[in-house]
Amino acid sequence: QQQVKQSPQSLIVQKGGISIINCAYENTAFDYFPWYQQFPGKGPALLIAIRPDVSEKKEGRFTISFNKSAKQFSLHIMDSQPGDSATYFCAASWDKLVFGAGTILRVKS
Amino acid sequence: DAGVIQSPRHEVTEMGQEVTLRCKPISGHDYLFWYRQTMMRGLELLIYFNNNVPIDDSGMPEDRFSAKMPNASFSTLKIQPSEPRDSAVYFCASSPGLAMADEQFFGPGTRLTVL
């Protein structure tokens, strides 16, 4: 049973554009929503995370928007750069992490 | 700290052979996780340990898979006998705890190919 649904599967964005990745969850017990970034040949690494009592969190060019009533959250990458090209995973947790399927982002220069 | 260390980085084996994957967590981390990553199923949690004790192995696919953590600095994931459908990248991760602030740090993974 997939508890965290992520879309799109892949995304191509021009340099300087905005990348948007969306996730939806089912289990209302989740209380922590991180995003992980994975480069080829590497393990995932924590990028940014949010708690459900906050509607938005921004760190540099990366912003998480959280809609608790809709059980949805999204990652926005502003001014996308070729170095942002990677696979992005949303996740949800109450004790262990449940990952979305991942989004392969390619930023064209 | 060197981060989470996994070995080998690549493993190619024949169907039916035993495979052992190894992990050294970050020193001081009480939790250790084993994940499997495939194109079809994404990142799946197989099992996790707290202070060397297995807490949740509900993600282990079947009895062919087993995991041990004999001490705080070493864990193994064993597949016996291996099958082609076990081909995947296996990640080990560790964290200080399960609280929100306790980030999971992933190793570089072991790419397993079963022929």
Side-chain angles (χ1 to χ4, degrees):
Chain A
Q1 181 182 1
Q2 186 181 10
Q3 297 188 57
V4 180
K5 295 183 179 179
Q6 183 172 347
S7 63
Q9 201 169 16
S10 62
L11 181 61
I12 299 175
V13 175
Q14 290 288 339
K15 179 181 176 181
I18 302 174
S19 303
I20 301 174
I21 304 171
N22 300 299
C23 285
Y25 64 97
E26 301 165 3
N27 190 341
T28 54
F30 290 139
D31 60 3
Y32 177 63
F33 301 87
W35 285 86
Y36 280 76
Q37 180 188 54
Q38 183 181 27
F39 292 105
K42 305 291 186 181
L46 181 65
L47 181 64
I48 187 173
I50 197 168
R51 300 180 311 182
D53 56 348
V54 177
S55 61
E56 185 175 281
K57 183 174 182 179
K58 183 176 181 179
E59 290 184 0
R61 296 183 294 107
F62 300 89
T63 300
I64 301 178
S65 297
F66 188 84
N67 185 330
K68 187 174 181 178
S69 60
K71 294 189 284 186
Q72 295 175 347
F73 58 112
S74 60
L75 176 69
H76 291 64
I77 306 174
M78 310 300 288
D79 187 27
S80 298
Q81 299 297 312
D84 297 330
S85 298
T87 300
Y88 292 81
F89 295 93
C90 62
S93 170
W94 76 98
D95 60 349
K96 55 189 179 183
L97 283 172
V98 178
F99 285 89
T103 296
I104 300 171
L105 171 65
R106 178 186 166 202
V107 181
K108 296 175 66 175
S109 56
Chain B
D1 200 317
V4 176
I5 299 173
Q6 291 187 248
S7 65
R9 294 294 312 276
H10 302 273
E11 177 80 38
V12 180
T13 189
E14 300 274 338
M15 182 175 64
Q17 296 297 306
E18 176 181 304
V19 175
T20 299
L21 312 181
R22 297 172 176 80
C23 175
K24 176 179 169 57
I26 294 173
S27 177
H29 282 190
D30 291 338
Y31 285 81
L32 183 139
F33 308 82
W34 281 101
Y35 291 88
R36 178 172 67 176
Q37 184 176 34
T38 62
M39 290 296 294
M40 290 296 295
R41 301 176 68 88
L43 261 171
E44 303 174 278
L45 177 65
L46 301 177
I47 184 171
Y48 77 92
F49 295 82
N50 177 28
N51 292 324
N52 315 335
V53 177
I55 302 301
D56 185 346
D57 65 354
S58 60
M60 296 286 262
E62 48 198 276
D63 292 345
R64 297 185 297 108
F65 286 68
S66 63
K68 295 182 180 180
M69 193 166 185
N71 58 63
S73 60
F74 184 66
S75 177
T76 59
L77 178 67
K78 183 179 292 186
I79 309 172
Q80 180 185 21
S82 58
E83 297 182 2
R85 59 192 169 119
D86 301 329
S87 296
V89 180
Y90 291 81
F91 289 101
C92 175
S94 70
S95 71
L98 287 182
M100 293 180 199
D102 291 322
E103 176 184 347
Q104 285 191 27
F105 292 84
F106 283 74
T110 295
R111 181 173 295 277
L112 173 65
T113 302
V114 183
L115 303 175

